[in-house]
Amino acid sequence: MKALVAVKRVVDFNVKVRVKADGSDVDIGNVKMSMNPFDEIAVEEAVRLKESGKINEVVAVSLGEKKCEDVLRTALAMGADRAIHVETDEKLEPLLVAKMLQKLAIKEQPQIFLLGKQAIDDDANQTAQMLAALLHAPQATCAAQVDLNDDEVVVVREIDGGTETVVLKLPAVISADLRLNEPRFVKLPNLMAAKKKSLEKMMPADLGMDVKTRLKTVKVSEPKARQAGEKVDTVEELVAKLKAAKVI
């Protein structure tokens, strides 16, 4: 059984993001980049399934510029068996990513697809759902627990007010939430060993894909600064202010 895991290179979650002076985009010059945290959880889950003997091979995939090799090497160091890098300098939209993953699915024939539920740069939370639709495959989003059997997977997923358990026939698409697991710390020897693992290079044209951007970003701006709070001395004063603000 094979698992395909998609990983994205994003601005590290510890970095304070700044907008370019002209408002055209986010400034990522000279900032630390790393694997999208939700994708890291997806990789960890795939590796754990392999270690438990339920998966034979884990294939990590990244779509983007040449520097995406860094996150693929991290995935290999975590335990992925091999990696595929579809290299392009174009800014990819969720639908384009889903379509390229569909093409790779036809080539690789995985039984389970693991993705992060969303990327922390665009917060789209769309790729997994679009991929499932393109593949006509069952899906489970926001997974908090995954139990893989011979021909089906049981997923406990986060929903408003609690959890929901779903049973999916394979092949299936699963997107990982924060509570699914705690990714392992990657040690230096594993990073060095990852350099010897297979990393296949491809171009979108190899998949028959046109990656021309169809969405235009009009403007990027920072959110308004939060106003300072106000202290009150009594409950009556609080109620009066809430009524004045038409909250109650």
Side-chain angles (χ1 to χ4, degrees):
M1 188 176 293
K2 182 190 297 185
L4 188 147
V5 188
V7 297
K8 185 177 184 180
R9 184 175 183 264
V10 299
V11 176
D12 190 86
F13 69 94
N14 289 309
V15 174
K16 179 176 174 55
V17 178
R18 296 176 180 175
V19 177
K20 291 181 178 179
D22 60 1
S24 61
D25 206 342
V26 172
D27 187 1
I28 60 173
N30 300 316
V31 300
K32 182 182 179 183
M33 306 290 284
S34 60
M35 186 189 299
N36 180 50
F38 292 102
D39 297 344
E40 191 175 6
I41 293 170
V43 173
E44 175 67 25
E45 190 65 21
V47 173
R48 291 188 185 188
L49 289 171
K50 180 190 172 185
E51 290 173 344
S52 65
K54 296 181 179 180
I55 286 178
N56 300 323
E57 185 181 26
V58 177
V59 182
V61 178
S62 189
L63 319 171
E65 61 182 355
K66 181 176 177 58
K67 293 180 180 178
C68 289
E69 290 182 14
D70 296 344
V71 295
L72 286 173
R73 291 297 180 191
T74 300
L76 291 171
M78 290 177 68
D81 297 288
R82 57 189 178 90
I84 300 173
H85 179 201
V86 182
E87 187 174 343
T88 176
D89 291 329
E90 293 289 336
K91 188 173 182 179
L92 299 175
E93 301 155 7
L95 182 56
L96 280 174
V97 174
K99 286 182 176 179
M100 282 197 274
L101 291 176
Q102 178 198 23
K103 298 288 186 180
L104 288 171
I106 296 172
K107 175 178 178 291
E108 293 290 333
Q109 292 295 309
Q111 285 71 47
I112 185 169
F113 301 83
L114 280 164
L115 302 85
K117 73 168 185 177
Q118 66 193 78
I120 62 172
D121 52 2
D122 58 17
D123 270 344
N125 192 359
Q126 296 174 347
T127 303
Q129 294 90 325
M130 289 176 172
L131 175 61
L134 291 169
L135 293 172
H136 303 287
Q139 63 172 309
T141 57
C142 306
Q145 182 179 327
V146 175
D147 185 13
L148 185 61
N149 300 315
D150 292 336
D151 60 347
E152 64 182 23
V153 56
V154 181
V155 181
V156 178
R157 55 186 302 268
E158 300 277 347
I159 61 172
D160 292 339
T163 60
E164 176 186 49
T165 301
V166 295
V167 180
L168 311 177
K169 290 291 184 182
L170 298 178
V173 179
I174 300 171
S175 66
D177 208 341
L178 287 173
R179 294 175 182 82
L180 183 55
N181 59 55
E182 181 72 26
R184 67 194 64 192
F185 177 76
V186 179
K187 298 179 180 178
L188 181 59
N190 292 341
L191 281 171
M192 299 302 292
K195 294 181 179 180
K196 298 180 181 179
K197 292 185 178 182
S198 171
L199 197 161
E200 182 182 355
K201 303 285 289 186
M202 302 179 68
M203 301 296 288
D206 298 330
L207 299 173
M209 291 294 303
D210 173 18
V211 293
K212 181 181 178 181
T213 302
R214 291 167 173 79
L215 297 178
K216 180 181 179 181
T217 301
V218 178
K219 184 180 180 182
V220 178
S221 59
E222 294 187 9
K224 294 181 179 179
R226 294 182 62 181
Q227 296 181 348
E230 185 177 349
K231 293 183 179 180
V232 295
D233 297 322
T234 65
V235 174
E236 290 77 13
E237 187 180 355
L238 172 62
V239 172
K241 288 187 177 293
L242 291 175
K243 286 183 177 179
K246 297 183 179 180
V247 176
I248 59 174

